[in-house]
Amino acid sequence: MVIDSTRMKSLADRLAVDEVKGRSLWADARKRFLKNKAAVGGLIVLLLVLVFAAFGGTIAQYSNEELDFSIMGQIAEKGGPSLANGHYFGTDDLGRDLFARTVQGTQISLAVGIVGSAIAVLVGTFYGAFAGYVGGRTDNIMMRTVDILMSIPYMFVLILLLVVFGRSIIMLFVGIGLISWLDMSRIVRGQTLSLKHKEFIEAAEATGVSRLIIIRRHIVPNLLGVVAVYATLLVPLMILTESFISFLGLGVQEPLTSWGALISEGSGTLNYGTYWQLAFPLFFFVITLFAFFFVGDGLRDALDPKDR
Amino acid sequence: MTATPLLRVEDLHVSFSLRREGDWPWTPLRRLHAVNGVTFDLAEGEVLGIVGESGCGKSTLARALIQMVPATGRAIWEGKTDLLSLNRHAMLKYRADIQMVFQDPLASLNPRMTVGEIIAEPLRTHHPELDTSEVKLRVKELMDRVGLLPNQINRYPHEFSGGQCQRIGIARALVVGPKLVICDEPVSALDVSIQAQVINLLMELQRDLKLTLIFIAHDLSVVKHISNRVMVLYLGQMMEMAAGRELYGNSQHPYTQALLSAVPIPDPVREREKVVIPLTGDLPSPFSPPSGCVFRTRCARAQGICAEKVPVPLPGDHLVACHFPGPAVV
Ligand SMILES: Nc1ncnc2c1ncn2[C@@H]1O[C@H](COP(=O)(O)OP(=O)(O)O)[C@@H](O)[C@H]1O
Ligand code: SF4
Ligand SMILES: [Mg+2]
């Protein structure tokens, strides 16, 4: 074959032109998200809370377990928030530094929320995507299992677990992890069902791409929007669950603490006039929950497919 | 024609078992015969047009050939292998030889992948040994070949127009060097002005790469220029099949004639004088097709025998499934 040299040359030229950068749907969503003031505000609050949890310990003057004997017994008079004695948030009923305890409680509460949500994302996404994509009897069995698990009153089971196996943070994570993925798997399965009949999935099947690769390459990336929104909204729910359990006195064990435990203690001593014992943990609890909801909402708007 | 056809389809049947909405779990499933005994040969380098109203089983026929829906009958590839008898693993090899172009240009591209990744997918599936730069070069060559700028390789589908998306779909189908490309209504979703461009591109590629094409459309005018032969389907059955010129100039089947009369003629004088044969009545339900000739409920020529005996086409180059074939009468 005679090679048409001018054609080859022009082809080479065209191939050599600098590649144009694409604008992915993620980039579009980011732009929309950044335009949403409430969501960006929520994100900033979350970052500040994270910084507080991560570095608050370094500016605390006391550890979370040492008792300040100079204050003990006169908490209502001397234990209030004060820059002078280093108890920025005051002390708790036993004379422990509330600042250090709030930092510690924030760490535990955020960890519970984030771990619960992460388990939901990992397990729920793959479980739901697999059931939805494979369909048929596999789907039936997998989703009926989820139905059965969901019909169990999980709070009851969680409390039983904590009573039987003893209160430990591991048990708390196990309990929360067990339930958190159920809703996620249902949502993801629903989305997968609607994706499954899209022509690009059919195109991949026609070419012979294997099922697992189709799930990984075509289904999961198209689910991530929904998953991200739901995961963000799940974190505060997990925090609430943990707080509720701690409020009942079944959560983390002393000297560890969490927002729920702190709020519980604070509200118990409220009529002694130590308002700060409730106010500080409650403040962090409330702003964090609000921030998560705002961010989740902003993500939902940003990723909303109707704008595409 | 003595050479072995690239593909020989014999007595292809596809049926779906369905439950109507609201049916009880114990009511028997209803069978829908989407494709009902279709037989045809496809010579190498030939373009076969398949035409029929929407819902008559065109897509199902195409999908049956690559085992996307369960089918019975035979589909002999290159005179040797029956594609329908292969298991999932054995079929894989042939998926590179048979590629598809889909109807909805945007929906057939994954919105989260770049054009480069989309076009490369069949290549990565069938030639995992190629390294990234080889794949990229091949993808860019193809983009250039189908009229896309190769420097757009990192863009996403939503940044392209419908016609360009269909070019991406065509590039993806061609990247592994297939022998047969099945185009399932590749232009139905495009503007009329763009349709011609895409059809011309397909014709050019077919000629240059010596491709065999199955070109599906719901309208006879679309397949006119590209097809060597045309098959007319109705309710999953072949009504008429002939070489393009023969079918357009000398159709024998009343259904084909009705379809032809609906095609606008560019010449205004002839358009006005044209006899329009209306298609009366609705398409019968595919769950309970009419007995005998499936077209009889809408056929002006129907006689008693049409309800009793299924018309079988006489062998030859011009196949007509009709008891009373003949030129259009008014
Ligand atoms: N996966 C399926 N399950 C059930 N019925 C189907 C399926 N695919 C197609 N059908 C039915 O088969 C018939 C033919 O459909 P199709 O091949 O898509 O028609 P066309 O492509 O000619 O418009 C239609 O009645 C359709 O409802
Ligand atoms: S067989 Fe009878 S009903 Fe069918 S197309 Fe021919 S004339 Fe019409
Ligand atoms: Mg179709």
Side-chain angles (χ1 to χ4, degrees):
Chain A
M1 196 178 89
V2 186
I3 295 173
D4 181 344
S5 60
T6 53
R7 229 190 116 188
M8 284 306 285
K9 171 92 179 53
S10 74
L11 173 63
D13 287 349
R14 269 171 292 164
L15 293 187
V17 176
D18 277 349
E19 288 164 13
V20 179
K21 220 171 138 335
R23 188 169 47 85
S24 70
L25 293 179
W26 292 114
D28 281 1
R30 188 162 55 232
K31 222 166 76 195
R32 275 196 295 270
F33 182 85
L34 291 178
K35 276 203 203 122
N36 183 336
K37 293 210 180 63
V40 174
L43 195 61
I44 292 172
V45 169
L46 282 186
L47 288 177
L48 292 178
V49 172
L50 269 181
V51 168
F52 175 75
F55 302 111
T58 58
I59 51 168
Q61 302 292 320
Y62 302 86
S63 83
N64 61 325
E65 38 189 329
E66 78 192 77
L67 306 176
D68 191 338
F69 292 103
S70 65
I71 290 174
M72 236 173 164
Q74 316 158 49
I75 307 290
E77 297 81 46
K78 286 201 193 159
S82 142
L83 288 178
N85 66 7
H87 294 299
Y88 307 129
F89 289 1
T91 69
D92 74 357
D93 220 30
L94 297 177
R96 290 177 294 192
D97 183 35
L98 196 59
F99 182 83
R101 287 180 64 73
T102 309
V103 169
Q104 219 265 308
T106 305
Q107 288 170 352
I108 297 273
S109 286
L110 284 182
V112 167
I114 291 169
V115 168
S117 191
I119 292 175
V121 168
L122 289 178
V123 181
T125 305
F126 277 97
Y127 193 92
F130 191 82
Y133 179 66
V134 173
R137 188 176 307 167
T138 314
D139 177 35
N140 249 323
I141 292 173
M142 287 175 80
M143 293 327 284
R144 287 305 82 78
T145 311
V146 167
D147 289 346
I148 290 169
L149 289 177
M150 280 185 107
S151 67
I152 299 172
Y154 76 87
M155 196 56 94
F156 180 71
V157 173
L158 193 49
I159 290 170
L160 264 185
L161 276 178
L162 290 167
V163 171
V164 173
F165 294 101
R167 292 162 52 186
S168 77
I169 188 134
I170 304 290
M171 223 46 237
L172 200 62
F173 280 134
V174 167
I176 286 192
L178 277 180
I179 50 157
S180 65
W181 61 277
L182 296 174
D183 265 321
M184 180 69 99
S185 69
R186 276 192 173 175
I187 292 172
V188 164
R189 171 180 172 269
Q191 285 283 314
T192 308
L193 283 184
S194 69
L195 276 175
K196 187 166 135 181
H197 298 291
K198 288 269 166 69
E199 277 182 340
F200 66 84
I201 305 279
E202 198 179 325
E205 284 170 349
T207 301
V209 182
S210 73
R211 280 177 172 185
L212 280 178
I213 295 184
I214 289 184
I215 291 179
R216 216 190 57 218
R217 193 185 287 164
H218 295 285
I219 306 238
V220 170
N222 281 289
L223 290 170
L224 283 186
V226 183
V227 170
V229 172
Y230 187 71
T232 321
L233 296 174
L234 196 59
V235 175
L237 290 186
M238 292 293 125
I239 292 177
L240 275 172
T241 306
E242 188 280 329
S243 297
F244 180 65
I245 293 195
S246 294
F247 195 86
L248 295 181
L250 282 170
V252 290
Q253 229 172 348
E254 294 289 352
L256 295 182
T257 188
S258 74
W259 284 339
L262 287 171
I263 291 170
S264 166
E265 288 168 22
S267 58
T269 57
L270 196 58
N271 30 8
Y272 306 138
T274 53
Y275 65 91
W276 62 87
Q277 292 178 358
L278 180 62
F280 284 104
L282 196 60
F283 170 75
F284 279 92
F285 179 74
V286 169
I287 60 164
T288 308
L289 292 200
F290 270 101
F292 268 114
F293 283 125
F294 280 135
V295 170
D297 233 39
L299 277 179
R300 176 161 46 209
D301 289 346
L303 296 164
D304 196 338
K306 76 170 178 276
D307 287 350
R308 276 174 212 152
Chain B
M1 258 199 313
T2 45
T4 338
L6 179 68
L7 179 67
R8 174 167 176 73
V9 175
E10 286 170 14
D11 198 28
L12 187 76
H13 287 263
V14 181
S15 60
F16 299 108
S17 296
L18 296 175
R19 177 163 284 136
R20 223 178 334 184
E21 211 162 314
D23 273 3
W24 298 103
W26 54 85
T27 44
L29 296 175
R30 303 196 309 160
R31 290 189 82 69
L32 186 158
H33 293 272
V35 177
N36 214 339
V38 171
T39 298
F40 63 89
D41 273 356
L42 195 59
E44 201 150 352
E46 187 185 24
V47 182
L48 175 69
I50 298 182
V51 175
E53 284 167 278
S54 124
C56 72
K58 307 179 296 290
S59 301
T60 307
L61 167 58
R63 297 169 68 211
L65 298 180
I66 48 171
Q67 286 196 8
M68 303 278 289
V69 289
T72 60
R74 304 204 297 157
I76 313 290
W77 182 254
E78 294 182 318
K80 297 190 287 278
T81 327
D82 180 4
L83 297 179
L84 302 185
S85 71
L86 298 176
N87 63 25
R88 204 180 152 84
H89 182 72
M91 185 68 200
L92 190 61
K93 174 163 151 329
Y94 296 92
R95 294 193 185 276
D97 287 338
I98 308 176
Q99 285 281 316
M100 272 190 89
V101 175
F102 294 86
Q103 174 167 3
D104 186 333
L106 191 57
S108 65
L109 309 176
N110 183 342
R112 306 271 172 198
M113 280 163 77
T114 64
V115 173
E117 289 164 350
I118 290 171
I119 299 178
E121 177 157 63
L123 208 54
R124 287 208 280 166
T125 307
H126 293 283
H127 299 281
E129 75 283 358
L130 293 179
D131 65 41
T132 326
S133 60
E134 286 170 307
V135 170
K136 193 163 178 178
L137 188 68
R138 175 96 180 114
V139 168
K140 284 188 164 187
E141 262 172 40
L142 261 156
M143 288 180 74
D144 186 63
R145 193 72 191 73
V146 298
L148 294 164
L149 293 171
N151 70 348
Q152 314 268 306
I153 188 164
N154 290 328
R155 288 195 171 249
Y156 290 83
H158 66 118
E159 300 177 274
F160 291 89
S161 69
Q164 286 172 321
C165 284
Q166 201 52 293
R167 287 171 196 264
I168 298 170
I170 293 170
R172 167 176 62 189
L174 296 180
V175 76
V176 273
K179 292 181 179 154
L180 170 62
V181 178
I182 303 175
C183 307
D184 187 1
E185 306 204 28
V187 298
S188 300
L190 301 177
D191 287 349
V192 180
S193 56
I194 315 268
Q195 288 190 354
Q197 290 176 15
V198 172
I199 292 180
N200 286 339
L201 172 69
L202 281 169
M203 283 170 78
E204 194 187 307
L205 290 167
Q206 188 270 332
R207 193 168 16 108
D208 294 355
L209 305 174
K210 303 189 172 49
L211 294 173
T212 310
L213 288 189
I214 292 181
F215 190 102
I216 296 172
H218 59 239
D219 174 346
L220 272 168
S221 64
V222 170
V223 298
K224 183 164 183 175
H225 297 289
I226 193 167
S227 312
N228 306 120
R229 273 192 310 156
V230 177
M231 167 157 75
V232 176
L233 272 187
Y234 184 79
L235 282 185
Q237 299 187 20
M238 188 210 60
M239 294 288 106
E240 184 164 15
M241 177 156 66
R245 185 168 306 174
E246 171 80 5
L247 190 99
Y248 286 91
N250 181 27
S251 65
Q252 301 286 314
H253 196 286
Y255 180 58
T256 314
Q257 287 155 5
L259 288 182
L260 277 173
S261 78
V263 174
I265 305 174
D267 178 350
V269 179
R270 282 177 50 217
E271 169 73 25
R272 230 173 296 132
E273 290 171 355
K274 179 180 81 173
V275 191
V276 177
I277 309 166
L279 266 179
T280 50
D282 290 331
L283 199 64
S285 158
F287 287 105
S288 48
S291 62
C293 170
V294 283
F295 184 56
R296 73 179 159 84
T297 54
R298 299 165 88 187
C299 180
R301 254 184 252 173
Q303 306 269 333
I305 185 172
C306 301
E308 285 153 25
K309 268 186 69 185
V310 178
V312 181
L314 297 172
D317 286 339
H318 187 159
L319 302 173
V320 189
C322 177
H323 292 301
F324 307 102
V329 283
V330 192

